[in-house]
Amino acid sequence: LTGYAHWGTGSEAQAGLAIDLPDKLLGFLEVLEAHDANYDVWYDILNTGFRLTPTAGTDYGSVPSLPGRERFYTEVKGPFSYEAWLDGIRQGKTFVTNGPVLEFRVQSQEMGAEVLLKKPTSVLVEASVRFDPSQDDVKRLEVIQNGDLLRSFPREGKSPEIRCRFEAEISETSWLAVRASGHKR
């Protein structure tokens, strides 16, 4: 399993992306590092039709951050093993976070799944973010389509979660993602 750290924005990485992506040599891209999320490169890659799993890391020791604060979670099917964990990453069954827990489904399919539609139609989108309000001031839950904001759902009151459920019209080949925005306390 190979990929790029630091959002793939270093000069060597940018040149490498153009070579490694078409040859299917990459499995992941670090999109959250040291309290900075940079989704633009990942979104651009997805918009070219390549699937690349998002990951995260703290880069602790070289930048001011707490070890393990930026991380990613991977859904593992069956008994936990290193190989099962790698398979989850290969299948795109991850989310990046610095605390909040994300859930996302399209047509009842979970993160990383591909939903094949025979014609333009609407799909059921369900998403949530859960968090500890004493640690995270999450303001919004956002659903992204092809790099653009599709829908945004604000936090209501002091709730420790934001949920959404809606029908989205899909008229062309698309990818969907969910993200939460706010700040650490």
Side-chain angles (χ1 to χ4, degrees), residues 34-35 58-66 69-70:
H35 68 270
T58 59
D59 209 5
Y60 178 72
S62 64
V63 295
S65 186
L66 298 172
R69 184 168 136 179
E70 291 78 26

Side-chain angles (χ1 to χ4, degrees), residues 133-171:
S134 70
Q135 299 292 316
D136 299 297
D137 185 18
V138 176
K139 302 283 189 194
R140 317 192 78 64
L141 181 65
E142 301 169 326
V143 177
I144 309 302
Q145 180 180 15
N146 295 342
D148 297 320
L149 181 64
L150 177 63
R151 296 275 304 267
S152 179
F153 302 87
R155 178 178 177 195
E156 295 182 10
K158 297 182 184 228
S159 176
E161 71 178 350
I162 305 170
R163 295 186 167 279
C164 69
R165 179 183 166 106
F166 65 94
E167 294 282 331
E169 290 295 323
I170 306 296
S171 60

Side-chain angles (χ1 to χ4, degrees), residues 122-137:
S122 64
V123 295
L124 177 62
V125 176
E126 301 170 281
S128 68
V129 59
R130 290 177 286 129
F131 52 94
D132 177 354
S134 70
Q135 299 292 316
D136 299 297
D137 185 18

Side-chain angles (χ1 to χ4, degrees), residues 79-157:
F80 181 77
S81 69
Y82 180 66
E83 198 54 46
W85 178 71
L86 289 175
D87 285 342
I89 297 170
R90 286 183 189 106
Q91 294 171 26
K93 297 188 175 296
T94 69
F95 71 90
V96 302
T97 188
N98 59 8
V101 175
L102 293 165
E103 292 183 37
F104 187 53
R105 285 178 296 289
V106 176
Q107 292 295 89
S108 300
Q109 300 294 311
E110 296 183 359
M111 284 185 216
E114 192 170 339
V115 178
L116 300 175
L117 305 174
K118 295 182 186 221
K119 61 180 182 174
T121 189
S122 64
V123 295
L124 177 62
V125 176
E126 301 170 281
S128 68
V129 59
R130 290 177 286 129
F131 52 94
D132 177 354
S134 70
Q135 299 292 316
D136 299 297
D137 185 18
V138 176
K139 302 283 189 194
R140 317 192 78 64
L141 181 65
E142 301 169 326
V143 177
I144 309 302
Q145 180 180 15
N146 295 342
D148 297 320
L149 181 64
L150 177 63
R151 296 275 304 267
S152 179
F153 302 87
R155 178 178 177 195
E156 295 182 10

